[in-house]
Amino acid sequence: MLARVADSLYWMARYVERAEHSARLIAVNLESMIEQSPEDAEAAWRRVAAALTGEDLAGADAFAVTQALAFDRTNAASLVSSLHLARDNARQVREQLSTEVWEHLNKLYLGTRDPTARSVWMHQPALFFRQALEDLFTLGGVTYSTLRHGEGWRFLELGRHIERAQLVSRLLDIYFGVGSPSRLLPPPKYFDWLVLLKFCTAFEPYCKEYTAALKPETIAQFLLFDAEFPHSVRFSVDRVVEALGHVAPGAPPSRRANCERLAGRLKAAVDFGHIDELTGGTIDAFLVNITRQCEQIHDAVYATYIAYDAETVL
Amino acid sequence: MQQGVGQPEIAGRAASGTSTPAPGNTLYPHYELGAAYDEMFAPDGTVRAQYHGLNGRLQTLPSGELMRRQHVCEQSFLHQGITFTVYADAQATERIIPTDLLPRIVAAAEWEHIERGLKQRIQALNQFLLDIYTDGHVLKDGVVPRKMILGSRHYRREMRGVAVPHGSYVNVCGTDLVRREDGAFVVLEDNLRVPSGVSYMLANRDVVRRAFPNVFRAARVRPIEQYPNELLATLRSLAPFQEDVSIAVLTPGVFNAAFFEHAFLARQMGVELVEGRDLLVNDNVVYARTTSGLKRIDVIYRRIDDDFIDSLIFREDSALGVPGLFNAYRAGNVILANALGTGVADDKAVYAYVPRLIRYYLNEDPILPNVETFLCREEKSLNHVLANLDKLVVKAVGESGGYGMLVGPHASAKERAEFAEKLRADPENYIAQPTIQLSTAPTLVDGQVQARHVDLRPFILHGEETRIVPGGLTRVALKKGSLVVNSSQGGGSKDTWVLSQ
């Protein structure tokens, strides 16, 4: 597979994942703020903004935050920006995608640009994001079932799960971390833990595993270390390892070594980690370390398979 | 659209003064026959034999059905994203190429004649290119002015003595044919560089066949779907070996007007679609950067103009091509299709000499004639052109796509005066031709069947052998009375049916 094509597929998947994450955080928060006091709602929005942009938007109201996170094209973290970039990448490699995947993504992108989208948002904002979310779920299904699970699909998987592992880690950091920006926020209450699970579509799976007794430690254990839940960090890291085993089938073991070593190291950390060992502020460092390791894997993938120096393989 | 069964009524065309009296028929109340040859109706209003099937179907379709099918057709193009980029305004805009539901039908005997003519022409043009890049007999014999060839902006000195497989420089050619008032097909121009439009030919067939399945089957239309396969066979035949030939389509990228076509052809042939940045040259061998390492490329169907293909040899500001590609080509390590330097032979000035070239190389009379052409480089012709600007079409020699051109009879006095200035300033850059009333064909306009001017661009493949799929892209000038069919100037296209008997 051409290196440029792999690059586009990888980024297309990352942006789709980012769009899905943004849409879900906003939809869930819009739905839950109805039951919150104004102070709690403000804290909740600040958490969402911090998770999506890394900035603290103290004093901002729901309207301003959603506006910025949904439609602001100058904001790289907004839903439209992510969809725009996902579609741009897809367009460059259209001949590599199935018609269904391309047309679905194209329609999704055009839909959010449509003037009626704004009017839906004005009147039923949560519905707008639920719709986007549903379309993104469909896109995931169409991608799974209409593409050959060859090298291109592996790069999609790689992009999706590196992105997801980082997004979930960053989100957990807002709730469990003691560093900035979390220390500026009031400590989460029971309801906030519930919302956190919903941010990761994890409420029902969590309850099946641990009952509805919401304890911060078990929530962290579940979202970090559960082997079978698709939005846990461990699950994503497993997919990254799997994908890396299948990309670039013609590359010799010596070239693959570095990527596989880095992915294996991260896998060991989440396979054998336990929340009991992450007490007393060490969870902060653990989460930062996961994010950093994901970045290292990304860099290694680029150096090995995509932006490599031609001299090294001649 | 009114429903009706009856006699065709053909309204007179006031402007041309040649109105044709015809019996009444509500299906074609807006169909005007003028001076031009009409593809469907004979001058007396009777339907030509090859159109009988289609006419019969149109007569029985319920009211509104044509419009509905046209709509289905357009939706299909929209969803597939078959678009064309227009550069006329500062901001390039993407739009769907208008496609017309009603096919243009070519009788079997007519096609047989066209095919022979095209084969003859590509043969002569390839021999001419081989000649001017090697021994130059044609220049020594004074058949074509040496200065005109060597001074042409498209003549590539770098190509002197470079061996090309089978002596075939032009592997993919799109020749524009028009039908004169007398019904004869004549050649308007040859496109020997990177002709486009073949994906529209195939896309049109795909939607129109579904719109008229029964007529299509009954008419025994010859298939064209084999084009990508024939293109692949042609490209393969250029490689020096036949095992594991690695072929790629080279595109300028997603922002190019014809990107859809490049991606389409790559997908249909099952070969890689590459951009310049995907390729690199090492030790005069071309490689593509893949995730698994470098992969050697043997044949490149390049859809990038000569000027941009290698910044070391040609335009240094080009980021589209591949530095070092030309040296790899000269070393024989990669094949480019079309070869470099073919533009010199589709120059509008050289065009005027093609009939002479056919006689010179093949010792045959041209089967398809040229349009009468005045070379403004000759003073006598220039004076004639300036005196008759209102009757002539003047074209810049090196331009294509309808840019830099004056259609005398449709231009205002001011436009003509401005163009005359350009002509006097640089006469060698222009040729002129009489305005030909391109033939008209039935076209669906605002829900009515109306006559619109059309041309025909068949695609000729030339490698070890010459292959032509029966058909081509029929381009149609959608504006009433307009003779400009280019898609960049508001033209549309139609499916072209070549009948097998």
Side-chain angles (χ1 to χ4, degrees), chain A residues 109-123:
Chain A
Y109 160 78
L110 294 173
T112 54
R113 287 164 55 91
D114 196 82
T116 57
R118 274 170 187 275
S119 113
V120 171
W121 180 70
M122 295 294 281
H123 298 107

Side-chain angles (χ1 to χ4, degrees), chain A residues 269-281:
Chain A
V270 292
D271 275 4
F272 302 116
H274 198 278
I275 193 63
D276 293 348
E277 294 167 353
L278 300 177
T279 50

Side-chain angles (χ1 to χ4, degrees), chain A residues 44 53 69 105 120 142 151 153 163 167 209 219 248:
Chain A
T53 66
L69 295 177
L105 178 57
V120 171
V142 167
E151 194 184 0
W153 188 77
E163 182 71 24
L167 291 171
E209 187 72 14
I219 290 175

Side-chain angles (χ1 to χ4, degrees), chain A residues 127-185:
Chain A
L127 188 69
F128 172 80
F129 293 100
R130 277 285 160 207
Q131 184 59 52
L133 209 47
E134 215 164 280
D135 288 343
L136 283 158
F137 278 145
T138 312
L139 178 64
V142 167
T143 307
Y144 186 87
S145 66
T146 65
L147 283 183
R148 216 175 136 241
H149 288 199
E151 194 184 0
W153 188 77
R154 301 291 180 177
F155 269 103
L156 288 172
E157 282 283 288
L158 185 63
R160 169 191 281 254
H161 286 287
I162 282 189
E163 182 71 24
R164 186 177 289 176
Q166 286 184 294
L167 291 171
V168 174
S169 301
R170 203 173 304 150
L171 186 61
L172 290 174
D173 191 38
I174 306 291
Y175 283 77
F176 292 95
V178 289
S180 165
S182 357
R183 80 185 140 81
L184 301 170
L185 296 165

Side-chain angles (χ1 to χ4, degrees), chain B residues 155-214:
Chain B
Y155 183 79
R156 301 287 170 204
R157 222 162 287 280
E158 299 84 355
M159 282 297 292
R160 300 278 306 250
V162 175
V164 307
H166 312 299
S168 177
Y169 285 74
V170 180
N171 312 112
V172 181
C173 167
T175 295
D176 292 342
L177 303 175
V178 298
R179 225 203 253 261
R180 279 194 314 227
E181 291 90 329
D182 63 2
F185 279 99
V186 297
V187 177
L188 190 61
E189 65 178 34
D190 305 289
N191 296 282
L192 307 179
R193 284 171 264 176
V194 284
S196 60
V198 79
S199 59
Y200 299 112
M201 168 180 93
L202 296 167
N204 283 339
R205 170 62 54 90
D206 199 44
V207 291
V208 172
R209 183 183 37 204
R210 272 182 280 153
F212 295 112
N214 295 327

Side-chain angles (χ1 to χ4, degrees), chain A residues 1-6 91-92 94-96 102-103 151 155 247-252 255 304-311 313-314, chain B residues 78-83 94 251 254-255 259-260 263-264 266-267 272-275 277-278 280 282 287-294:
Chain A
M1 157 163 291
L2 287 178
R4 173 181 55 83
V5 170
R91 188 162 166 246
Q92 309 221 12
R94 255 193 73 172
E95 84 284 355
Q96 304 281 338
W102 160 251
E103 286 190 2
E151 194 184 0
F155 269 103
V247 301
R255 272 187 76 208
T304 311
Y305 302 124
I306 294 175
Y308 56 83
D309 186 355
E311 300 293 324
V313 288
L314 273 166
Chain B
L78 185 72
H79 289 151
Q80 293 175 66
I82 305 180
T83 54
E94 210 176 291
T251 174
V254 71
F255 299 107
F259 179 75
F260 167 78
F264 176 88
R267 194 173 57 219
E272 208 72 71
L273 178 68
V274 298
E275 296 180 18
R277 57 190 163 124
D278 296 325
L280 62 95
N282 185 272
Y287 297 97
R289 301 173 64 94
T290 76
T291 52
S292 299
L294 301 183

